Amino acid sequence: MPTISILVLIFLFSFVTPSMNDEIAYDFFPFMRIYKNGTIERFMGKLKVPPSLDPKTGVQSKDVVISHKENISARLYLPSSTANSARKLPLLVYFHGGGFCVESAFSPVYHNYVNSLVAMANVVAVSVEYRLAPEHPLPIAYKDSWTTLKWVASHFDGNSSEEWLKRYADPTRVFFSGDSAGANIAHHMALKVGTEGLAGFKLNGIVLVHPFFWGTELSGAELKMPPIVRLYMAGLWRFLNPLSSGTDDPLFNPIKDPKLRDLGCQKVLVFVAEKDSLYDRGRYYSMALRRSGWKGVVKVWKTKEENHVFHLLQPTNEKAVAMMKRIVLFFN
């Protein structure tokens, strides 16, 4: 039975109602605090690094603007193998985590992770920089992600000019991936592909790492969690998405989505970590997907004795390396 994660233990020092401190309006540590004067203090993901030629992997990266008006951008990655090969490579679209309110595609942790993934899997990658809540409340992150996907797809009908995508990316071998909130987005983008379609674009599969899902009905290890954890989850979601119906909103609880069977790919790989407070949510999602009538194959990879997104914080960890190898196998 999984234990409560370190992240949740930190949550216990916070509360979702207005703080007793007259200066603080809401406290969502370890993500952010919101003060009564409107100031938002973020505690992680504030540092950004420029694109580069990575000396360790040989991977090149560059930044592109998707929409000046909406301030949507992305970082593109190209493996060193493209220098000596005319063969087109699988395309990965990656969505970063951070509870929809912190982190960036340009932060060191995600830049380094995608560099390593691109090198090992030999794929072209687009890492999406979507706008963050609460300045841009949900569902804006989903809208930005879909705008980016439409921009990516436009390169396969000859109407766009980004050379790396036109020359090196194979539109018949596309994958989505993300961790935590990014895994949530990856699922919903795959669902949107299935329900709305994306011309010239074949989504083969999605990789969801420790997906940030929740819901009203609890079972498994969730039943042993302190009530304040449930309050935190519900309060955070309501703050991020003020117009939401609550934690059973299909955006937060895909099990409640009647369109789940329309997921627009044929294979799904879900990673869960034994000590993660979201452990059961990844399992429930996988079981619901199998029961929904969806025609694809979903597999779950469980990592014992590890916490939420440990692979980003400890990339050389033996279990993190094993995860990476499994993802590479999935893409190829």
Side-chain angles (χ1 to χ4, degrees):
M1 185 67 66
T3 58
I4 298 175
S5 72
I6 293 175
L7 187 60
V8 170
L9 291 176
I10 296 174
F11 287 172
L12 301 184
F13 292 97
S14 306
F15 200 63
V16 298
T17 54
S19 170
M20 295 299 290
N21 185 324
D22 289 339
E23 299 301 320
I24 300 175
Y26 292 93
D27 194 338
F28 292 109
F29 188 83
F31 294 120
M32 61 185 175
R33 287 194 182 107
I34 300 86
Y35 293 84
K36 289 186 176 181
N37 65 5
T39 301
I40 298 173
E41 181 184 15
R42 288 182 166 88
F43 298 104
M44 61 177 73
K46 295 184 287 185
L47 182 63
K48 297 183 180 181
V49 295
S52 62
L53 173 59
D54 184 53
K56 293 182 179 179
T57 62
V59 172
Q60 289 181 270
S61 56
K62 66 178 176 179
D63 294 343
V64 295
V65 176
I66 311 299
S67 170
H68 288 281
K69 180 180 179 180
E70 297 172 317
N71 195 28
I72 307 170
S73 57
R75 180 159 291 178
L76 274 56
Y77 294 82
L78 200 65
S80 60
S81 63
T82 56
N84 302 312
S85 174
R87 183 173 64 93
K88 291 193 174 185
L89 302 175
L91 173 64
L92 167 65
V93 182
Y94 193 86
F95 305 94
H96 72 81
F100 300 103
C101 59
V102 297
E103 280 295 352
S104 165
F106 309 144
S107 71
V109 67
Y110 285 106
H111 180 68
N112 293 335
Y113 176 73
V114 179
N115 263 330
S116 298
L117 186 54
V118 165
M120 290 192 67
N122 198 32
V123 297
V124 178
V126 177
S127 186
V128 181
E129 180 74 346
Y130 53 86
R131 289 173 289 176
L132 300 177
E135 297 94 330
H136 304 283
L138 295 174
I140 287 178
Y142 300 104
K143 294 178 179 178
D144 289 354
S145 298
W146 186 244
T147 295
T148 302
L149 289 177
K150 290 192 290 184
W151 175 83
V152 170
S154 71
H155 289 81
F156 305 130
D157 60 12
N159 290 330
S160 294
S161 59
E162 176 45 58
E163 187 66 20
W164 283 10
L165 294 180
K166 291 174 63 175
R167 184 174 178 182
Y168 299 113
D170 184 349
T172 69
R173 292 187 291 164
V174 180
F175 298 88
F176 299 164
S177 183
D179 64 280
S180 197
N184 177 306
I185 294 174
H187 159 77
H188 286 290
M189 293 304 100
L191 191 61
K192 204 168 178 67
V193 169
T195 56
E196 298 185 18
L198 210 51
F201 193 105
K202 183 179 179 182
L203 180 62
N204 292 59
I206 60 175
V207 178
L208 309 183
V209 180
H210 310 160
F212 186 35
F213 299 143
W214 199 248
T216 302
E217 298 175 14
L218 305 180
S219 62
E222 294 173 350
L223 294 170
K224 298 183 179 181
M225 290 179 181
I228 198 170
V229 176
R230 300 194 291 274
L231 288 172
Y232 183 96
M233 290 293 194
L236 177 61
W237 177 253
R238 181 71 74 178
F239 187 76
L240 299 172
N241 191 356
L243 299 180
S244 172
S245 58
T247 53
D248 278 337
D249 183 332
L251 287 176
F252 203 23
N253 187 3
I255 293 173
K256 297 293 185 179
D257 195 335
K259 298 181 293 184
L260 185 59
R261 63 179 298 166
D262 297 324
L263 196 70
C265 60
Q266 292 301 307
K267 59 180 183 176
V268 176
L269 177 60
V270 181
F271 287 90
V272 295
E274 186 178 30
K275 292 186 177 181
D276 184 6
S277 58
L278 301 175
Y279 168 82
D280 285 308
R281 287 293 146 181
R283 294 172 54 248
Y284 301 157
Y285 168 83
S286 304
M287 292 186 287
L289 193 55
R290 292 188 185 105
R291 294 194 301 261
S292 69
W294 175 65
K295 302 301 182 183
V297 176
V298 57
K299 294 186 177 181
V300 179
W301 178 289
K302 173 183 174 180
T303 307
K304 295 182 178 180
E305 297 297 320
E306 293 293 351
N307 280 303
H308 192 64
V309 299
F310 76 94
H311 66 296
L312 296 177
L313 306 176
Q314 308 168 53
T316 59
N317 176 307
E318 180 181 349
K319 296 171 186 176
V321 172
M323 281 180 61
M324 179 74 79
K325 289 179 179 178
R326 183 64 186 85
I327 294 171
V328 170
L329 183 63
F330 184 85
F331 292 158
N332 291 282

